[in-house]
Amino acid sequence: MSLAATVILNRNLPEVTNNLYEHLIKFDSDHTDVYVLEAGSDKNNLSKYCTWYADEPEIIKNGLRYNRGMNYALLKLFNTADWKKY
């Protein structure tokens, strides 16, 4: 069980996100669980590690800034059984 959750907020940068995810899993997987929030990315630009895909019309048009993206991901995490780990 990890004591932390790491959220990667992505919009149309799948290679960068995949590399960051793989780096975190390789070096920090004992300490954190990693989640990827796709904030309105085009369907062909999704990370292969996508956990949640925010595809509401406003998000597709404008994306999510950091604060809204983290709140969105925390709400998604809270609504899953994973939340109880932390």
Side-chain angles (χ1 to χ4, degrees):
M1 175 174 66
S2 300
L3 297 176
T6 300
V7 175
I8 301 171
L9 180 62
N10 180 48
R11 183 174 170 94
N12 293 324
L13 293 171
E15 289 182 32
V16 174
T17 301
N18 292 341
N19 290 339
L20 177 57
Y21 181 94
E22 291 165 2
H23 177 87
L24 291 169
I25 291 299
K26 182 177 180 181
F27 293 105
D28 298 316
S29 62
D30 292 343
H31 308 290
T32 189
D33 295 321
V34 182
Y35 302 91
V36 176
L37 171 59
E38 293 287 348
S41 295
D42 298 331
K43 292 270 187 188
N44 60 339
N45 281 325
L46 296 176
S47 165
K48 64 183 175 181
Y49 302 108
C50 175
T51 308
W52 305 294
Y53 179 42
D55 61 352
E56 291 82 5
E58 180 186 343
I59 296 172
I60 288 179
K61 180 180 177 187
N62 300 314
L64 291 171
R65 302 296 185 266
Y66 181 80
N67 291 337
R68 281 188 66 206
M70 292 302 116
N71 285 336
Y72 187 100
L74 288 174
L75 181 61
K76 289 289 193 181
L77 185 60
F78 183 77
N79 288 328
T80 68
D82 285 350
W83 180 255
K84 294 178 178 144
K85 294 192 303 187
Y86 305 101

